[in-house]
Amino acid sequence: ILLFFFYSKNLLADQNINYVDIDSLLKNSNKGQIVLSSLNELEINNKNDLMNKEKEIKKLDDEIKNLEKIISQNELQKKIDNLKQKINLYQKYKKDLSNEFFQIRKQKIENFFKNIAPIVENYMKENSINIVIDKKNIFIANSNYDITSELIEIINKQN
């Protein structure tokens, strides 16, 4: 039993394990920056669209307040109902837009990692690495085992 214990411990010591900062790969590689830039542009466009719709609703609300004492109760109620309907539509649109953005974001980031997976696998083969772990999941490790910068260089050369 003692021999088995020492032998199994030596087997684990032979494993080559490294780690990579996934967020850094995304932020600092050329391909990752393209993904983040397109997502940022989409988010800005969505925010501008929502602000325009908010301004439209605010304008309608101000118009109702100005006409409140001038028009009949019936007409006022119709305008208030119309405003409430527009607010409900806006809230639904905002929710749908947010869900759509998160789906697009998820898909683009997944595609990025699918595209770089063969590069990482090739790097692992060339450097006899058995396991690559995300840096977030490591409590403490020697920085010599961080392969993030090497992978960023290789990914950028692949463009």
Side-chain angles (χ1 to χ4, degrees):
I1 294 173
L2 267 160
L3 288 173
F4 178 73
F5 177 72
F6 287 117
Y7 181 70
S8 65
K9 205 167 195 168
N10 286 337
L11 285 176
L12 291 175
D14 291 340
Q15 298 291 320
N16 192 358
I17 300 173
N18 292 77
Y19 65 92
V20 65
D21 186 352
I22 298 291
D23 292 335
S24 185
L25 277 181
L26 185 62
K27 291 177 186 172
N28 297 320
S29 67
N30 295 339
K31 291 178 182 181
Q33 288 176 351
I34 291 169
V35 169
L36 292 177
S37 175
S38 69
L39 289 173
N40 190 36
E41 185 178 323
L42 179 61
E43 186 176 29
I44 289 170
N45 289 340
N46 288 349
K47 283 181 181 180
N48 288 337
D49 190 26
L50 289 173
M51 282 195 320
N52 288 337
K53 291 188 181 302
E54 284 177 16
K55 286 178 185 177
E56 194 178 297
I57 289 172
K58 176 74 174 141
K59 183 179 175 183
L60 189 58
D61 184 45
D62 290 342
E63 182 181 308
I64 290 172
K65 286 178 183 175
N66 289 337
L67 294 174
E68 190 173 22
K69 295 180 182 177
I70 301 173
I71 60 174
S72 70
Q73 219 35 29
N74 250 355
E75 286 182 51
L76 180 63
Q77 191 59 45
K78 285 180 187 177
K79 289 191 180 284
I80 291 173
D81 290 342
N82 184 30
L83 176 64
K84 286 179 182 178
Q85 183 181 12
K86 285 192 179 205
I87 291 171
N88 288 337
L89 287 173
Y90 167 78
Q91 289 172 343
K92 182 184 179 324
Y93 178 73
K94 184 177 180 180
K95 182 180 175 184
D96 291 345
L97 200 61
S98 176
N99 290 338
E100 181 183 335
F101 175 76
F102 285 114
Q103 288 297 324
I104 291 170
R105 180 176 178 261
K106 179 182 172 186
Q107 180 184 8
K108 285 187 179 233
I109 290 174
E110 282 178 4
N111 286 340
F112 168 76
F113 286 113
K114 282 180 187 176
N115 288 334
I116 68 164
I119 297 169
V120 175
E121 289 171 1
N122 188 40
Y123 181 84
M124 287 175 65
K125 285 178 190 173
E126 289 176 358
N127 293 287
S128 302
I129 298 172
N130 298 73
I131 300 173
V132 175
I133 301 173
D134 185 8
K135 185 177 182 178
K136 288 183 214 171
N137 298 322
I138 297 176
F139 175 65
I140 192 165
N142 188 331
S143 61
N144 294 338
Y145 294 107
D146 186 357
I147 59 171
T148 306
S149 58
E150 291 94 355
L151 286 175
I152 290 172
E153 285 180 33
I154 294 169
I155 291 168
N156 288 343
K157 287 179 185 175
Q158 295 288 326
N159 286 344

